[in-house]
Amino acid sequence: MVKTDDTTGNTAAKLLYRPFGLIGSVAGGAVAGVVFKQIWKRATPGDNADAPGALESEHRLREILVAAALQGALFALVKALVDRGMANVFTKFIGEWPGD
């Protein structure tokens, strides 16, 4: 039995997908940033609507860690949604899945 190598098409699809993935990642990061700012502004009382940074001494460590965890989780969620959506659109137009 002769085994055929079907990786050439998949490699081409991966290369063609890179610009789409890059555009999707940038757009997804921007959307995640806006969503995080809105969530943080609504979740925290007071005038300071910005999430605390690690080097801001006026915030407790717990508050900084909660903000970082929420932001990281939100960015990961948005990235997964955008990556999957872009791959589905790519597959619809090109006919080949860009991953695997």
Side-chain angles (χ1 to χ4, degrees):
M1 180 158 94
V2 176
K3 186 175 182 180
T4 59
D5 188 15
D6 193 26
T7 59
T8 306
N10 196 12
T11 302
K14 285 181 181 181
L15 288 174
L16 283 173
Y17 177 73
R18 284 186 183 202
F20 293 101
L22 182 62
I23 291 168
S25 293
V26 170
V31 168
V34 169
V35 170
F36 172 72
K37 283 185 178 190
Q38 290 300 314
I39 290 173
W40 191 260
K41 185 167 60 172
R42 286 176 171 73
T44 56
D47 294 335
N48 193 4
D50 293 332
L55 299 177
E56 295 177 2
S57 62
E58 65 269 12
H59 297 284
R60 295 182 318 187
L61 179 61
R62 189 178 100 193
E63 186 179 8
I64 292 168
L65 294 178
V66 168
L70 176 62
Q71 188 175 27
L74 185 61
F75 271 80
L77 177 73
V78 170
K79 181 182 179 343
L81 287 171
V82 168
D83 285 348
R84 190 60 168 209
M86 293 294 287
N88 284 330
V89 169
F90 180 85
T91 301
K92 183 177 180 179
F93 287 108
I94 302 299
E96 195 165 337
W97 186 258
D100 298 333

